Amino acid sequence: MAQNPPVGGRTRRRPQARARCALSLLTAGVLAAAGVVALAGTAQAAGALGDAAAAKGRYFGAAVAANHLGEAAYASTLDAQFGSVTPENEMKWDAVESSRNSFSFSAADRIVSHAQSKGMKVRGHTLVWHSQLPGWVSPLAATDLRSAMNNHITQVMTHYKGKIHSWDVVNEAFQDGGSGARRSSPFQDKLGNGFIEEAFRTARTVDAGAKLCYNDYNTDGQNAKSNAVYEMVKDFKQRGVPIDCVGFQSHFNSNSPVPSDFQANLQRFADLGVDVQITELDIEGSGSAQAANYTKVVNACLAVTRCTGITVWGVTDKYSWRSGGTPLLFDGDYNKKPAYDAVLAALGGSGGGGDDGGEGGDGACTATYTRTSTWNGGYNGQVTVKAGGSGITGWAVPVTVASPQKVSAVWNGTPTTTGDVMTVRHSWNGTLAAGASTTFGFTVQTNGGTSAPVVGACTAS
Ligand code: XIL
């Protein structure tokens, strides 16, 4: 099987590493033994998610709709942040072959050429799925349906040959609930269980350079449905059916939360000898609770060597298929949400200023971190919050302190903590004129931990 080049690695200059400077005058006693160094972290324009993920050997992408690419803020947010795109609907069967053997690729082509012009990779979604299937397919009798399926796979993959890092060859072929059975569909009902294998075998003959994935939802934790997919993948690997990856859609909300065994489930699939990918991530909610869930998902992927990338299912809440649940990283005005900061921090990226390199640029604030003192077992950090070109009346800054380190005190700000992420909001010091600044501080007990806190972007209110 041909190996793909690593995905997600866009060439872009990385932000400067934090400046370091030694403090010359320190209080005696407390600091004497520690060889104290202050980290003066000046927040830069935020590191892009795609770059931060690439530094970890992974891609970070978004689902994209062709009809929004003309919106400047949409395109600039996409281009500034993501290293991979998945066409949200444009490569589905009804979009590319609405009548038999008549293919139209124009909308999907727009996404692919946009991605290529910006150095982003492309995920292919999806070849064989019971949904968004044009009406002419389901009445076909078995023999005809088989040739229509194979022709569809062949034509679409040929058109995009060499341009797709991973294809969702078959999507959502298993039922929900406890049966572990296959879902009824024209393919399942007329061709039987073998349709999945046949689709993968056909796909391999067309583009041997693309990773071939099975993709599904409600398979993110261990349950009857994921067990059934697991058995299928195990069987495919044993018999040499060409499968390279399993996609976990990861659409989460309060009814379907991030499972506690998410990482373990990814790992057991990886142990079968396939890559795993988080393919359609969105998590309903807001604020620090949503941010903490995003952190869990990113950390789970990073903890599994064969988890090769994450795609969020859209750029902005405004156009999410579940926009009422505000499940994405950017709000409807393209402001970064706490979830964004949490993802960037989990990927090891640097926290950025409150706006994104001037984009938006209204009423923003910046957060600049400095370690002010260090002793055996702890340190004090200080964050300077500065208003941008307009005055602000409130601010919030996420600070991630990795376990086992713990924050034991906060002053001049009000913390709310979920998991490792502490969001500090103004207390008495929310109102800042244009260019004015204030500070808040915190004490960390290190408990043996050594990593520096990650100070995310300031959000003004
Ligand atoms: C969704 C799109 O986001 C919507 O715009 C469309 O109306 C329906 O499909 N599982 C999948 C995705 O594999 O293709 C679905 O995308 C979401 C669920």
Side-chain angles (χ1 to χ4, degrees):
M1 174 188 63
Q3 286 294 311
N4 283 341
V7 293
R10 287 207 276 164
T11 45
R12 185 197 289 125
R13 266 168 304 167
R14 300 191 59 71
Q16 290 286 326
R18 287 182 174 162
R20 285 154 198 264
C21 66
L23 280 185
S24 51
L25 275 179
L26 297 167
T27 316
V30 177
L31 305 170
V36 177
V37 169
L39 289 177
T42 303
Q44 310 264 337
L49 300 171
D51 286 352
K56 303 274 187 192
R58 285 151 173 97
Y59 67 86
F60 198 97
V64 167
N67 61 338
H68 300 316
L69 285 173
E71 186 179 323
Y74 183 94
S76 64
T77 305
L78 171 68
D79 298 346
Q81 295 296 334
F82 296 97
S84 171
V85 301
T86 304
E88 185 172 354
N89 289 298
E90 292 78 352
M91 286 184 179
K92 292 173 180 174
W93 197 316
D94 62 350
V96 296
E97 194 189 5
S98 59
S99 38
R100 190 167 186 178
N101 212 21
S102 167
F103 289 85
S104 66
F105 293 110
S106 55
D109 284 354
R110 265 159 47 218
I111 296 176
V112 172
S113 52
H114 181 96
Q116 289 190 322
S117 74
K118 304 293 177 188
M120 300 179 210
K121 310 289 179 179
V122 184
R123 274 197 104 253
H125 177 79
T126 176
L127 295 166
V128 182
W129 187 26
H130 66 276
S131 186
Q132 294 179 268
L133 195 58
W136 62 267
V137 179
S138 57
L140 300 180
T143 310
D144 217 6
L145 179 65
R146 171 170 283 116
S147 69
M149 179 183 85
N150 288 323
N151 182 55
H152 180 78
I153 294 169
T154 304
Q155 299 300 324
V156 178
M157 287 187 75
T158 300
H159 183 80
Y160 291 110
K161 189 168 178 171
K163 299 181 175 173
I164 305 290
H165 69 76
S166 309
W167 264 111
D168 289 332
V169 178
V170 175
N171 196 33
E172 302 183 351
F174 285 79
Q175 274 181 30
D176 290 321
S179 70
R182 302 287 171 98
R183 175 197 294 276
S184 169
S185 72
F187 309 105
Q188 180 67 35
D189 300 348
K190 292 185 183 137
L191 308 180
N193 284 352
F195 89 88
I196 303 181
E197 171 171 352
E198 180 158 353
F200 276 85
R201 289 192 187 279
T202 301
R204 180 66 97 226
T205 65
V206 184
D207 184 356
K211 300 250 185 199
L212 306 181
C213 302
Y214 176 78
N215 191 53
D216 215 327
Y217 68 96
N218 280 351
T219 49
D220 316 297
Q222 302 192 34
N223 56 42
K225 186 173 177 181
S226 67
N227 288 346
V229 176
Y230 179 88
E231 291 305 324
M232 177 188 77
V233 174
K234 188 172 166 191
D235 170 57
F236 279 14
K237 293 302 287 183
Q238 278 166 356
R239 292 191 298 111
V241 179
I243 185 168
D244 307 310
C245 38
V246 176
F248 297 83
Q249 291 185 11
S250 306
H251 295 293
F252 297 122
N253 56 33
S254 52
N255 294 323
S256 176
V258 181
S260 56
D261 60 355
F262 188 50
Q263 181 184 323
N265 191 48
L266 297 178
Q267 187 65 59
R268 73 169 173 152
F269 277 90
D271 290 343
L272 291 175
V274 288
D275 289 344
V276 293
Q277 301 178 7
I278 295 168
T279 51
E280 304 182 15
L281 178 63
D282 53 11
I283 309 178
E284 295 186 26
S286 63
S288 55
Q290 181 180 49
N293 281 320
Y294 267 100
T295 299
K296 278 190 213 167
V297 172
V298 174
N299 284 342
C301 180
L302 293 178
V304 175
T305 308
R306 290 198 76 149
C307 182
T308 56
I310 298 174
T311 300
V312 287
W313 203 239
V315 174
T316 158
D317 284 342
K318 178 166 59 163
Y319 299 134
S320 162
W321 73 313
R322 292 177 167 177
S323 61
T326 60
L328 295 172
L329 304 180
F330 291 87
D331 72 14
D333 295 322
Y334 298 95
N335 294 310
K336 294 166 182 168
K337 295 164 63 179
Y340 170 90
D341 297 321
V343 167
L344 185 62
L347 291 171
S350 54
D355 63 14
D356 187 21
E359 170 200 312
D362 47 322
C365 50
T366 56
T368 306
Y369 169 69
T370 311
R371 183 181 290 208
T372 51
S373 58
T374 305
W375 57 92
N376 274 335
Y379 61 88
N380 283 338
Q382 177 176 289
V383 175
T384 302
V385 176
K386 186 174 178 195
S390 351
I392 59 173
T393 55
W395 47 262
V397 178
V399 178
T400 305
V401 172
S403 174
Q405 301 186 66
K406 283 235 167 335
V407 176
S408 59
V410 177
W411 54 95
N412 295 344
T414 307
T416 320
T417 301
T418 313
D420 291 346
V421 183
M422 167 178 77
T423 301
V424 181
R425 293 189 173 72
H426 63 272
S427 40
W428 50 272
N429 49 356
T431 301
L432 296 173
S437 58
T438 187
T439 61
F440 68 87
F442 53 92
T443 299
V444 175
Q445 308 294 342
T446 50
N447 301 319
T450 53
S451 57
V454 176
V455 177
C458 180
T459 312
S461 56

